[in-house]
Amino acid sequence: MKGFTVAIVGAGIGREHLAAYVTLPDDFTVVTLCDKDTERAHEVIGSHGDIQVVSDFASVLQDPSVDVVDICLPPHLHKQAVIDALAADKHVVCEKPLVTSLSDADDIGRILSMSSRSLTPVFQYRYGPAMSQLRALMNQGLCGKPLVASVETHWHRDSDYYNNPWRGTWQGEQGGAVLGHAIHNHDLLCSVFGPVGQLSALTTTRVNDIETEDCASISLQMANGALASSSITLGAADDTSRLRFCFEKLTATSGTNPYAPADSQWRFQARGANDQKAVDDCVASVPDSPVGYIGLFTELAKKLRGLPHDCVNFEDGRRSLELVTAVYHASRTQRSVVLPLDESFDAYRSWQP
Ligand SMILES: NC(=O)c1ccc[n+]([C@@H]2O[C@H](COP(=O)([O-])OP(=O)(O)OC[C@H]3O[C@@H](n4cnc5c(N)ncnc54)[C@H](O)[C@@H]3O)[C@@H](O)[C@H]2O)c1
């Protein structure tokens, strides 16, 4: 068996994780799919008859042949599953949101710092040609100072989507569109413009009959002084993600691919008329890179082998939860919130109402 062995836990989005791992046979072999709904798991493994289906997470942890536990469970189950998998000496991949409060994130951080294993929160939108091109432009000094960004997460979700007991509830989903949907685009914003310095936010529920928010408008100032705005709804006519980054020397405009923004055609426009050739040459020189989960798992394999990598790390997962905490608190108190947040912050232990 080549590479690392993987047990996927949860057969919902776990299906897409499996589809990505099987494209990387030199890096990973999926040996187990665990779901308490074994019928669903059998349907997901389909023709991959060499993958065993189990219903019980404990048996995954006890299996010495498993190197990586990939957690695709509903959000409220992530914390204990991550802790148990690290305690069982497994490398861990965990779907977003990593956990559901900053204090839980810091508990995980402490456990991780004493572990020899790695933890990789899932932010697969970072991977694909356009993000590689933008990073190359930044690294070559062709962007200059970040000025403003706008981020749109305008998706369509209706009652079919919420016909799942954990969705749309504070207890199960632990948040609405800010936590569950815009978290990816906010991760992209921070991975390009750096951490958030302060924000104010409004959230509301206007689309579906659910407890959590399905619309939001957020105003941010990044720690480096740049400004950004994020507009979120689950009531759009179709699913569209759109990002625009204006730098001192260049404006980067994404396409509208909702779930793989880095796989759409971006426009990189130099501000100075004479600078466009350098921008175009830089973009043309960037090798093609794998998109989404395949991109993430390609970097994960490098990380597990101790090679230089561009994999998501624990701090990225914590940062995303810090932003969520700040948004919910700002919306509820109608006050702006200054980041970073620590245990002295009101909503540190819970962002729930
Ligand atoms: N990165 C992304 O783009 C993306 C997309 C969709 C979902 N997600 C995240 O993935 C996670 C799962 O979401 P989903 O849409 O796949 O949910 P889902 O409800 O469709 O699937 C979860 C699966 O977990 C199983 N399960 C629940 N408790 C279990 C237990 N104790 N032991 C074994 N199996 C158990 C359920 O039977 C179910 O099949 C969530 O955190 C969600 O936010 C991420």
Side-chain angles (χ1 to χ4, degrees):
M1 204 169 284
K2 288 189 245 166
F4 300 92
T5 53
V6 182
I8 299 172
V9 188
I13 196 69
R15 177 195 295 270
E16 290 187 35
H17 289 222
L18 173 60
Y21 285 123
V22 298
T23 69
L24 301 169
D26 293 335
D27 292 330
F28 297 103
T29 304
V30 176
V31 289
T32 304
L33 177 58
C34 171
D35 198 300
K36 61 184 186 180
D37 181 347
T38 51
E39 201 178 316
R40 187 180 198 194
H42 276 292
E43 192 262 310
V44 166
I45 61 167
S47 60
H48 302 286
D50 45 345
I51 299 176
Q52 64 166 339
V53 167
V54 300
S55 60
D56 162 27
F57 186 43
S59 67
V60 171
L61 301 178
Q62 284 156 14
D63 183 346
S65 72
V66 170
D67 300 319
V68 180
V69 172
D70 180 342
I71 297 164
C72 299
L73 295 170
H76 61 290
L77 300 177
H78 289 181
K79 182 185 182 187
Q80 198 56 50
V82 169
I83 290 173
D84 291 347
L86 287 173
D89 221 20
K90 309 296 186 191
H91 294 289
V92 183
V93 172
C94 184
E95 261 297 351
K96 58 84 187 161
L98 174 58
V99 287
T100 55
S101 72
L102 273 182
S103 70
D104 283 355
D106 287 344
D107 288 346
I108 298 274
R110 276 186 287 274
I111 291 167
L112 189 62
S113 68
M114 291 182 290
S115 167
S116 60
R117 301 289 139 184
S118 65
L119 169 60
T120 299
V122 168
F123 281 124
Q124 82 277 19
Y125 286 34
R126 286 186 186 192
Y127 300 96
M131 288 304 290
S132 303
Q133 290 158 2
L134 180 52
R135 270 190 279 272
L137 290 162
M138 291 170 73
N139 292 339
Q140 289 193 19
L142 293 167
C143 292
K145 189 167 73 171
L147 303 175
V148 300
S150 66
V151 177
E152 283 174 16
T153 310
H154 290 176
W155 293 3
H156 181 124
R157 295 289 182 276
D158 54 24
S159 53
D160 278 359
Y161 177 79
Y162 289 103
N163 186 20
N164 181 330
W166 61 267
R167 289 217 179 104
T169 66
W170 284 106
Q171 204 198 346
E173 198 162 8
Q174 309 269 327
V178 171
L179 176 70
H181 304 89
I183 194 166
H184 289 289
N185 284 336
H186 291 163
D187 174 65
L188 290 182
L189 171 66
C190 294
S191 76
V192 175
F193 265 20
V196 176
Q198 65 170 305
L199 61 79
S200 55
L202 297 169
T203 63
T204 186
T205 309
R206 289 176 71 77
V207 184
N208 284 290
D209 183 17
I210 54 172
E211 282 177 16
T212 53
E213 83 288 348
D214 51 25
C215 297
S217 177
I218 308 169
S219 247
L220 309 101
Q221 182 158 44
M222 314 310 282
N224 60 20
L227 303 179
S229 61
S230 170
S231 167
I232 303 163
T233 184
L234 299 183
D238 62 0
D239 292 341
T240 302
S241 292
R242 199 162 16 205
L243 299 106
R244 197 150 209 254
F245 294 98
C246 297
F247 295 87
E248 179 187 13
K249 299 194 238 173
L250 172 145
T251 295
T253 308
S254 77
T256 57
N257 185 331
Y259 306 129
D263 196 27
S264 60
Q265 186 72 44
W266 285 45
R267 183 164 181 229
F268 299 107
Q269 192 179 10
R271 194 145 178 258
N274 298 334
D275 299 335
Q276 192 62 45
K277 183 170 181 331
V279 168
D280 294 343
D281 289 350
C282 173
V283 169
S285 73
V286 177
D288 210 6
S289 58
V291 174
Y293 289 114
I294 300 177
L296 173 64
F297 298 154
T298 300
E299 296 304 316
L300 173 64
K302 294 181 199 164
K303 178 174 169 176
L304 297 182
R305 292 193 170 106
L307 301 170
H309 64 81
D310 192 18
C311 195
V312 184
N313 59 32
F314 165 74
E315 286 70 27
D316 300 318
R318 188 196 187 278
R319 182 177 66 187
S320 72
L321 300 175
E322 190 174 47
L323 200 157
V324 167
T325 307
V327 167
Y328 285 139
H329 192 74
S331 165
R332 240 165 249 145
T333 59
Q334 307 261 299
R335 294 208 169 145
S336 61
V337 171
V338 175
L339 290 80
L341 307 179
D342 62 19
E343 60 277 2
S344 64
F345 188 66
D346 274 358
Y348 176 75
R349 288 185 195 290
S350 172
W351 59 59
Q352 300 221 11

